[in-house]
């Protein structure tokens, strides 16, 4: 079982419950970049049933019922049923949700919310972290629920905390610098692409990290 993960960070906050104009523009640019990458580079057919997906999201009441954390598995299953190629998840911080909503509108996808996805060990660790959320997500994936592309809305700190356990220390220092530059110090969304493989219960992550040394 293999999937390609695209982790994207948050747009800058503005007025209460809104992104700043810079953060919003960054999220819009992110959405177009990801849409183009999936369509042109990975050759996913995102357009043939986009109207049907949009209609379902606007009219089907089931999408309003996935609010409780215990309903996440059902939300994921329903989302994959709507679009088997893609799964979009995000943490529940306002910045994560607002950034993800812009991407969701471009893709005509629901956002499956797991509050741990944008959490790190220094922020309410009792809730859980990105690492905990990804472990549980891995357990949910199977032959029936196996989207080839998984989009994850997270935070800079959560992403740094998670990847620190997966790459060498020298690569981590480089990645931290790159993420700071690409996100303009956590103002606009940035993306990390990672490969995931699970065979006979064994999980592996693959990263193609640039070298700035």
């Amino acid at each position: 079982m293999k999937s390609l993960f695209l982790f994207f960070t948050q747009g800058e906050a503005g007025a209460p419950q809104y992104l700043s104009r810079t953060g919003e523009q960054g999220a819009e640019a992110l959405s177009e970049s990801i849409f183009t990458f999936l369509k042109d580079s990975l050759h996913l057919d995102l357009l043939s049933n986009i109207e049907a997906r949009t209609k379902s999201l606007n009219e089907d009441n089931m999408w309003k019922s996935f609010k409780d954390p215990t309903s996440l598995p059902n939300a994921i299953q329903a989302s994959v049923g709507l679009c088997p190629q893609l799964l979009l998840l995000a943490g529940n911080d306002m910045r994560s949700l607002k950034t993800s909503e812009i991407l969701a509108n471009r893709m005509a996808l629901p956002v499956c919310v797991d509050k741990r996805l944008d959490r790190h060990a220094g922020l309410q660790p009792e809730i859980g972290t990105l690492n905990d959320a990804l472990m549980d997500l891995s357990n949910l994936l199977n032959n029936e629920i196996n989207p080839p592309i998984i989009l994850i809305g997270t935070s800079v700190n959560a992403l740094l905390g998670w990847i620190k356990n997966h790459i060498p220390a020298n690569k981590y220092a480089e990645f931290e610098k790159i993420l700071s530059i690409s996100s303009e110090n956590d103002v606009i969304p940035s993306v990390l692409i990672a490969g995931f493989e699970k065979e006979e219960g064994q999980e592996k992550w693959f990263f193609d990290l640039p070298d700035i040394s």
Side-chain angles (χ1 to χ4, degrees), residues 60-72 74-75 78:
D60 197 331
N61 286 328
M62 76 170 177
W63 301 114
K64 300 177 182 179
S65 66
F66 301 130
K67 301 297 183 183
D68 190 276
T70 59
S71 68
L72 180 62
N74 292 332

Side-chain angles (χ1 to χ4, degrees), residues 8 10 42 50 84 117 119-120 127 150 167 174 176 202 204:
F8 60 93
Q10 305 161 323
L42 300 187
I50 195 169
L117 284 168
R119 303 282 173 166
H120 55 93
I127 290 177
I150 300 178
I167 61 177
E174 293 178 354
E176 188 175 21
Q202 298 296 314
K204 293 181 180 179

Side-chain angles (χ1 to χ4, degrees), residues 92-134:
N92 75 340
D93 180 83
M94 182 277 293
R95 293 177 62 195
S96 297
L97 289 176
K98 293 299 182 181
T99 303
S100 299
E101 285 170 4
I102 293 173
L103 179 59
N105 288 335
R106 183 68 181 93
M107 301 286 185
L109 292 173
V111 181
C112 300
V113 178
D114 185 334
K115 61 186 178 182
R116 301 171 297 174
L117 284 168
D118 51 22
R119 303 282 173 166
H120 55 93
L123 178 65
Q124 295 180 290
E126 70 278 3
I127 290 177
T129 65
L130 172 60
N131 185 67
D132 299 317
L134 291 176

Side-chain angles (χ1 to χ4, degrees), residues 22-36 102 188-189:
T22 300
E24 190 174 272
Q25 289 174 338
E28 290 169 354
L30 167 87
S31 300
E32 288 302 321
S33 295
I34 290 180
F35 188 91
T36 300
I102 293 173
I188 61 173

